[in-house]
């Protein structure tokens, strides 16, 4: 009986460890051209991009001119999402890192 419980516990632990290593959700931030200028631009992106395979959620920012996409990396990737943008007339570029040095006031440096 102890062996059966030990084996079952090991299988459960192994399953949990394996699932923790595989990310179920990834996030990518994009800038788009032409720039979003109104709520209709945001709505166009949100309503069309949500049909791309693997896309979980879409957040847009007019002030920051960014589109944040949460997606399942098992089903899609950044290149496929960029092709989804192209279908609706936008060229999307992934923002890979944020350079805060230009936005920092001189007294904080």
């Amino acid at each position: 009986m102890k062996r059966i419980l030990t084996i079952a516990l090991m299988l459960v632990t192994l399953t949990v460890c394996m699932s923790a290593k595989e990310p179920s959700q990834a996030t990518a931030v994009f800038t788009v051209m032409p720039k979003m200028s109104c709520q209709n631009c945001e709505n166009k992106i949100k309503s069309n991009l949500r049909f791309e395979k693997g896309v979980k959620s879409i957040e847009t920012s007019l002030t920051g001119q960014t589109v944040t996409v949460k997606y399942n990396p098992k089903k899609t990737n950044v290149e496929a999402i960029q092709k989804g943008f192209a279908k609706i007339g936008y060229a999307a570029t992934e923002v890979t890192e944020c350079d805060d040095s230009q936005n920092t006031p001189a007294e904080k440096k």
Side-chain angles (χ1 to χ4, degrees), residues 18-19 21 24 35 37-38 41 48 71 84-87 91 98 103:
M18 289 182 72
S19 66
K21 291 180 182 178
S24 62
K35 292 186 176 193
S37 59
C38 62
C41 298
N48 288 290
Y71 63 95
F85 276 106
K87 289 178 189 176
C98 183
N103 297 332

Side-chain angles (χ1 to χ4, degrees), residues 82-103:
Q82 288 173 323
K83 288 179 184 177
F85 276 106
K87 289 178 189 176
I88 57 173
Y90 287 93
T93 306
E94 184 180 17
V95 178
T96 53
E97 57 185 60
C98 183
D99 185 12
D100 290 334
S101 63
Q102 294 176 355
N103 297 332

